[in-house]
Amino acid sequence: MGSTAVEQDGLVIPIINFSDFLSGSPESKAATAKAILTAFQTSGFLYLSHTPIPPDLLTSVFANSASFFDHGEDFKRKYLWTTPDANRGYSAPGREKVTQLTKPDEVESLREKVPDLKESFEIGREDEPGHPNRWPELAGFREVMTEFHRRCHELNVEVMRAIAVGMGLGEGFFDGFVDRGDNTLRLLHYPAVGKERFEQGAIRAGEHSDYGSITLLFQDGRGGLQVRAPGGRFVDARPVEGTVVVNAGDLLARWANDGVKSTIHRVVEPPPPKEEGESEEVKEYPARYSVAFIEAIPGTYGAEKGEKKYEGIYSGEYLVQRLSATY
């Protein structure tokens, strides 16, 4: 069914062929769904291969993302992120501090001491009343990102169907909760940074869990993603060509009564590449790009499975709470 992308310090992250779920036999579909659920229950992470995302579209997304971030601050600030309710637009380096802290004063103190060395651009669904996307004036940008958002939403729905099948809930259990496409397409740019910044304790993105249901992460070739192993050590989750990294977020963990794991992870700076024959130490780390697509279940609590751990909460209310703490 697949191989392993990470196997270190008790952390195992599998590579799963998603075409076996989408178009395989009933037996293959059930086995793939079970493998996906098991990965979320054990590590909280997996890599999906053979997804329906066209490679040429992904290439265009990264090219358009780089084109936006290559512009100066005056251009980018015309499209600034405004509120947690909207969660759309540009966030400048140092604005967001991802962390597990929830008190604003503690987050602000951490932001001042160890800012995240990244900038981002958030895109939501097009038809949400009162919250239009802040489209930059770049040829083709809107068309490419709108199509990619649609494709990622379709993949998100299928992954949630696989989770439902794995849980024995029926394939369409989550459809009514994810059909509107209330997802965030997040373009991330980690600018080139001098080595001394990292020697001073800076980091690309601090230790955190994701706040949605699942995250689809598309990485460039630079790497830097690290996932916390059971013993507490952070392990490299290196890019694997032709795959999408998928991890469970806090909402899915809460929905499943902690039956799946929303695992702590971070983005650090991998060793800089050296040109062939280069002997001097590299003093600047090159830029890194990634694209993230972000989003109690019956049978997860009761006499045999333990107590229900969380009271009900609307997902929008929960997401606004989390976003308000990090910006």
Side-chain angles (χ1 to χ4, degrees):
M1 181 181 301
S3 54
T4 300
V6 177
E7 190 168 0
Q8 183 179 342
D9 292 352
L11 180 71
V12 178
I13 303 179
I15 301 175
I16 298 174
N17 184 337
F18 200 48
S19 67
D20 290 337
F21 178 80
L22 296 175
S23 56
S25 66
E27 295 77 16
S28 179
K29 185 170 188 171
T32 303
K34 187 62 177 178
I36 289 172
L37 178 61
T38 299
F40 284 143
Q41 291 172 328
T42 54
S43 69
F45 274 77
L46 57 91
Y47 288 60
L48 285 185
S49 67
H50 300 85
T51 71
I53 304 292
D56 58 341
L57 176 59
L58 185 58
T59 298
S60 185
V61 167
F62 273 95
N64 277 270
S65 175
S67 175
F68 172 78
F69 289 118
D70 281 347
H71 280 74
E73 286 299 305
D74 288 344
F75 176 84
K76 290 182 286 190
R77 286 183 177 276
K78 292 193 295 184
Y79 311 101
L80 280 176
W81 186 95
T82 53
T83 68
D85 300 86
N87 194 28
R88 286 159 166 80
Y90 172 67
S91 178
R95 171 71 189 272
E96 181 193 28
K97 179 60 188 178
V98 288
T99 174
Q100 292 304 97
L101 299 175
T102 57
K103 295 181 179 179
D105 57 337
E106 294 179 352
V107 175
E108 183 58 33
S109 177
L110 184 63
R111 187 193 341 260
E112 292 179 0
K113 294 176 183 177
V114 191
D116 285 356
L117 303 179
K118 70 177 189 302
E119 55 185 341
S120 65
F121 189 85
E122 325 288 329
I123 301 167
R125 65 182 175 93
E126 281 278 64
D127 58 347
E128 185 172 358
H131 299 305
N133 282 308
R134 313 204 67 191
W135 294 113
E137 297 174 2
L138 295 173
F141 185 95
R142 180 174 183 170
E143 292 76 15
V144 168
M145 297 305 171
T146 300
E147 174 64 10
F148 190 61
H149 189 284
R150 183 183 71 81
R151 294 275 192 162
C152 286
H153 170 60
E154 291 174 352
L155 178 57
N156 176 77
V157 169
E158 293 296 342
V159 174
M160 295 302 293
R161 287 174 176 170
I163 294 170
V165 171
M167 288 181 167
L169 297 173
E171 185 172 334
F173 178 84
F174 292 110
D175 284 4
F177 300 101
V178 300
D179 57 351
R180 287 201 311 173
D182 284 322
N183 314 100
T184 298
L185 177 59
R186 181 167 221 218
L187 311 180
L188 286 153
H189 174 223
Y190 304 85
V193 176
K195 180 183 176 183
E196 69 278 358
R197 291 293 302 277
F198 295 105
E199 292 175 341
Q200 296 165 3
I203 194 169
R204 292 297 198 183
E207 302 175 16
H208 66 285
S209 60
D210 289 348
Y211 46 75
S213 53
I214 63 172
T215 298
L216 310 176
L217 178 65
F218 303 83
Q219 303 186 78
D220 67 4
R222 283 286 295 134
L225 174 65
Q226 292 187 330
V227 180
R228 192 168 71 182
R233 184 183 176 202
F234 280 90
V235 175
D236 291 328
R238 302 182 188 279
V240 176
E241 186 175 359
T243 66
V244 183
V245 177
V246 187
N247 63 283
D250 297 342
L251 274 177
L252 184 59
R254 180 176 180 136
W255 212 352
N257 207 42
D258 287 341
V260 301
K261 293 184 177 180
S262 180
T263 304
I264 301 292
H265 53 285
R266 66 185 185 184
V267 179
V268 300
E269 186 54 47
K274 291 185 177 182
E275 299 295 334
E276 186 175 351
E278 183 179 12
S279 58
E280 293 186 6
E281 185 177 7
V282 176
K283 296 182 179 180
E284 183 178 78
Y285 293 84
R288 176 184 186 268
Y289 293 87
S290 67
V291 179
F293 188 80
I294 310 169
E295 259 293 37
I297 301 171
T300 62
Y301 61 88
E304 296 181 358
K305 297 179 180 293
E307 294 300 315
K308 182 179 180 181
K309 296 182 180 181
Y310 305 102
E311 294 302 317
I313 187 172
Y314 287 107
S315 61
E317 177 185 344
Y318 179 78
L319 298 182
V320 168
Q321 289 175 2
R322 286 292 304 270
L323 285 169
S324 297
T326 59
Y327 279 89

